[in-house]
Amino acid sequence: QQPVQSPQAVILREGEDAVINCSSSKALYSVHWYRQKHGEAPVFLMILLKGGEQKGHEKISASFNEKKQQSSLYLTASQLSYSGTYFCGTDGSSNTGKLIFGQGTTLQVKP
Amino acid sequence: SQTIHQWPATLVQPVGSPLSLECTVEGTSNPNLYWYRQAAGRGLQLLFYSVGIGQISSEVPQNLSASRPQDRQFILSSKKLLLSDSGFYLCAWSGYVADGYTFGSGTRLTVV
């Protein structure tokens, strides 16, 4: 089952914050986050492996609530370079290594 | 360091023609390999994945097939392309879980 991301699109001004959510109807082993620039391949941002875990990458961090089967990506003080489409990828409880990706959230940061 | 190569970058093929896309990984051994397809403006759909030579799992019934003749080589094929096969095809590899997936640069396929 494909995870559901929300919102579908976000428009920000530089310096503003954003939150992107990823929800699954199935138990999860891990959640990955990727960013894709237009016309390019997705780039790995981070992985969360355990419930309640939080990780950070520059001013981008994420949380994983295993019980709620949800993950959130937090973008703080957004920069122009943060623009792109963000995908969460989930791996089921059996840790197959196969990622099923959400439909993506398009983020546009304006000056 | 590990690198992944995917080619060609773009391809325009007529309906009914065959297809062969190749992906190779360098700098690692026994990687997990994946083929994804992305329709315009859409998400990533898992097509095939492989945990070893000759071991292929198909995720979606379709007009495509995959093969892994060598440890670091993954090939996506079709005998007869359909218009619906158009899209952005991405190969990816993974090793350690914590390192996530690394994607190739992709092949943009247009079937006309």
Side-chain angles (χ1 to χ4, degrees), chain A residues 70-100:
Chain A
Q70 295 176 345
S71 178
S72 295
L73 186 71
Y74 307 94
L75 299 105
T76 306
S78 58
Q79 306 168 13
L80 294 176
S81 62
Y82 286 3
S83 294
T85 301
Y86 289 78
F87 292 97
C88 68
T90 57
D91 187 4
S93 56
S94 59
N95 185 24
T96 63
K98 298 183 300 180
L99 289 186
I100 305 300

Side-chain angles (χ1 to χ4, degrees), chain A residues 29-78:
Chain A
Y29 175 80
S30 67
V31 179
H32 296 218
W33 286 97
Y34 293 78
R35 177 171 62 208
Q36 184 179 30
K37 300 281 188 178
H38 183 69
E40 300 179 4
V43 174
F44 175 67
L45 295 177
M46 67 187 75
I47 180 175
L48 301 105
L49 291 172
K50 296 182 180 179
E53 182 180 5
Q54 294 194 359
K55 296 192 73 173
H57 175 75
E58 297 178 341
K59 291 182 180 179
I60 300 174
S61 61
S63 64
F64 178 20
N65 187 320
E66 187 177 354
K67 286 185 178 180
K68 292 186 177 180
Q69 297 164 187
Q70 295 176 345
S71 178
S72 295
L73 186 71
Y74 307 94
L75 299 105
T76 306
S78 58

Side-chain angles (χ1 to χ4, degrees), chain B residues 8-85:
Chain B
T10 59
L11 195 58
V12 180
Q13 293 284 97
V15 168
S17 63
L19 173 74
S20 181
L21 302 180
E22 190 164 343
C23 171
T24 59
V25 181
E26 295 179 358
T28 187
S29 59
N30 198 31
N32 289 343
L33 296 172
Y34 312 87
W35 280 110
Y36 282 86
R37 178 171 62 197
Q38 186 174 33
R42 304 293 294 275
L44 299 154
Q45 179 187 33
L46 178 62
L47 302 177
F48 301 96
Y49 86 103
S50 172
V51 298
I53 296 174
Q55 300 179 62
I56 309 293
S57 292
S58 174
E59 295 300 305
V60 182
Q62 59 211 319
N63 185 41
L64 302 168
S65 62
S67 62
R68 185 170 177 173
Q70 299 180 40
D71 181 45
R72 290 169 289 180
Q73 184 185 28
F74 206 21
I75 298 172
L76 183 70
S77 304
S78 174
K79 292 182 179 178
K80 289 185 178 182
L81 284 169
L82 307 172
L83 288 174
S84 57
D85 291 325

